[in-house]
Amino acid sequence: MVRIKRHKELDYLEVSNRISQAKISLQGAHIFHFQAKGKQPLLWLSESSFFKKNKAIRGGIPICWPWFGPHKKDPDLPNHGFARTSLWEHLKTQELSDTETKVTLRLSSSKESLKLWPYRFELTLEIHIGAQLQVSLNTKNLDNKAFTITNALHTYLSIADINTVFIDGLDKKIYYDKVDDSFNNVQEGRLLFTKETDRIYQNISSELIIQDNNRRIRVKTEGSHTLVIWNPGKELADKMPDLSDHTTMLCVESANTLEDESLIRPDKSHRLTTIISQD
Ligand code: TA6
C-alpha cells in the first residue's frame, strides 16, 4: 500500500506491506525511514533535519549525483550534486508479493539541471521494500556525448552507540582519509570509531558487517568498488545545525568516487546498488 503524505515542506510516499514499511520523500527520492516489522529501524534520521525545499534531509539515504563531495572545478556548485535536492517523479509502485513492494522514481534532465551540469540524462531509483532494503540507482546517458559521474547512496545507518559499534570486512583495504587528507592508508583489522572518521575505502567487493550492540547490519554493494565511511565526531557534529546526535548514526555509503569514476557513453547506463539487511 502506498499513501502520499507531507512532513513540513516535503511530500513523501509511505509504503507498507505485511512485513515492512518505508518513507520516501519526492524531493531527492530520499528514503528517510525503513523498518521491518518487529525490528529496529535500519536508517537513522536526525531529529533536527529541516525537511525544507532545496535542502537535503539529514539522514536516510541521500543520493549524491552526478558528483560526490564538492564539484571538482567549481566550489560554488552544491556539495554532492543536485539529485538530492531535485523534485523526482513517482513512476510506479508494484506489489511484487504481500512481503515485497517495488517503488520506482525518476529524475530527467531539465533546463535547470543543464545549467548545473551540461548533459541530458535519465536517472531512475528502484527501491525494493521487503525483509531487506535494496536500492538501485540507474544512470542513463541520453546525450550525444559521453559523460563521467561520481555518485553515492549516502546511507545513514541507525546504530546503538558509535563508541561500541565496529565494522568487519575492511581488513587490509586501502583508504583515503579525508580528515587529514592522506592517501594509501591501510586498514588493520576491524574499524572502530574513536574520533571524526571520513574515509574512502577502495577495491571493496565483499559484504560488510556492522556489529551494533545486539544486532548485525549487513551492507552489500553492486556496481561500485569504493565505500565511504563517515561519522563527524562530536566537535564537527556540534557545528551542524541539522545533525541531532552523532553517537547514534554511522554512514556506510556505496559509492563510485576517486579513481572509481564511471564513464557513460551515449545510450549506455550505469547501475549502483546497495542491499541492507540485519540479523
Ligand atoms: O560522505 C561523507 C561526506 O562527504 C563528509 O565529508 C561530510 O561532509 C558528509 O558527506 C555530509 O555532507 P553534507 O553535504 O550532507 O553536509
Side-chain angles (χ1 to χ4, degrees):
M1 182 164 56
V2 59
R3 288 202 193 105
I4 301 207
K5 294 195 166 179
R6 169 170 278 237
H7 183 56
K8 298 184 184 164
E9 293 181 13
L10 303 185
D11 291 328
Y12 70 91
L13 309 172
E14 185 183 81
V15 184
S16 52
N17 55 41
R18 198 161 60 72
I19 59 165
S20 51
Q21 193 200 49
K23 295 180 183 173
I24 307 153
S25 161
L26 294 178
Q27 175 172 289
H30 196 135
I31 308 163
F32 61 93
H33 175 73
F34 172 81
Q35 186 166 19
K37 268 195 188 137
K39 304 251 170 105
Q40 302 154 47
L42 260 192
L43 302 178
W44 180 85
L45 175 66
S46 171
E47 284 171 16
S48 46
S49 180
F50 297 128
F51 280 83
K52 264 192 170 169
K53 290 205 168 121
N54 305 315
K55 182 94 193 129
I57 295 169
R58 180 70 65 197
I61 312 187
I63 295 173
C64 305
W65 190 97
W67 59 87
F68 174 83
H71 188 274
K72 267 191 188 167
K73 294 187 187 140
D74 184 351
D76 291 336
L77 287 172
N79 197 41
H80 292 320
F82 53 84
R84 65 178 180 164
T85 49
S86 300
L87 194 60
W88 290 55
E89 183 191 349
H90 173 208
L91 274 191
K92 57 185 170 189
T93 296
Q94 295 158 280
E95 312 279 353
L96 302 181
S97 71
D98 66 341
T99 57
E100 191 174 5
T101 313
K102 180 180 173 189
V103 179
T104 309
L105 298 106
R106 176 170 66 191
L107 180 68
S108 303
S109 43
S110 61
K111 251 203 246 159
E112 292 75 45
S113 76
L114 288 164
K115 281 183 210 151
L116 296 167
W117 195 64
Y119 302 99
R120 281 178 298 129
F121 65 85
E122 182 186 71
L123 262 190
T124 49
L125 190 75
E126 294 167 5
I127 308 164
H128 285 257
I129 298 146
Q132 58 185 26
L133 177 65
Q134 177 173 328
V135 184
S136 296
L137 178 66
N138 303 298
T139 304
K140 180 151 195 207
N141 184 344
L142 297 183
D143 214 289
N144 50 18
K145 48 194 184 292
F147 58 63
T148 299
I149 57 161
T150 52
N151 62 355
L153 296 164
H154 193 305
T155 308
Y156 288 75
L157 296 173
S158 171
I159 55 161
D161 186 0
I162 193 70
N163 299 303
T164 54
V165 74
F166 57 84
I167 303 183
D168 278 327
L170 294 170
D171 189 31
K172 301 283 177 291
K173 295 292 179 195
I174 307 285
Y175 65 90
Y176 163 67
D177 193 331
K178 194 172 163 192
V179 178
D180 60 12
D181 193 23
S182 61
F183 286 86
N184 296 322
N185 302 284
V186 183
Q187 177 69 37
E188 296 297 343
R190 53 183 43 152
L191 173 62
L192 293 133
F193 299 86
T194 51
K195 54 181 186 320
E196 178 185 354
T197 305
D198 196 346
R199 298 179 177 181
I200 303 176
Y201 284 86
Q202 286 150 48
N203 293 319
I204 300 294
S205 50
S206 54
E207 181 180 77
L208 282 198
I209 298 180
I210 296 106
Q211 188 67 52
D212 170 41
N213 200 13
N214 54 2
R215 70 169 164 175
R216 238 181 320 188
I217 302 175
R218 295 170 185 274
V219 176
K220 251 201 274 180
T221 293
E222 289 162 14
S224 100
H225 298 292
T226 43
L227 192 102
V228 182
I229 308 279
W230 181 57
N231 180 281
K234 181 167 170 33
E235 209 179 314
L236 179 59
D238 284 350
K239 292 184 196 143
M240 300 175 73
D242 63 344
L243 202 149
S244 54
D245 178 10
H246 77 284
T247 66
T248 55
M249 58 143 282
L250 177 60
C251 286
V252 176
E253 313 166 27
S254 305
N256 297 97
T257 183
L258 291 183
E259 273 105 76
D260 189 20
E261 294 183 338
S262 302
L263 173 78
I264 310 174
R265 300 190 191 283
D267 274 334
K268 299 287 180 208
S269 300
H270 173 267
R271 183 175 175 90
L272 172 67
T273 297
T274 189
I275 304 163
I276 312 165
S277 60
Q278 61 183 313
D279 51 49

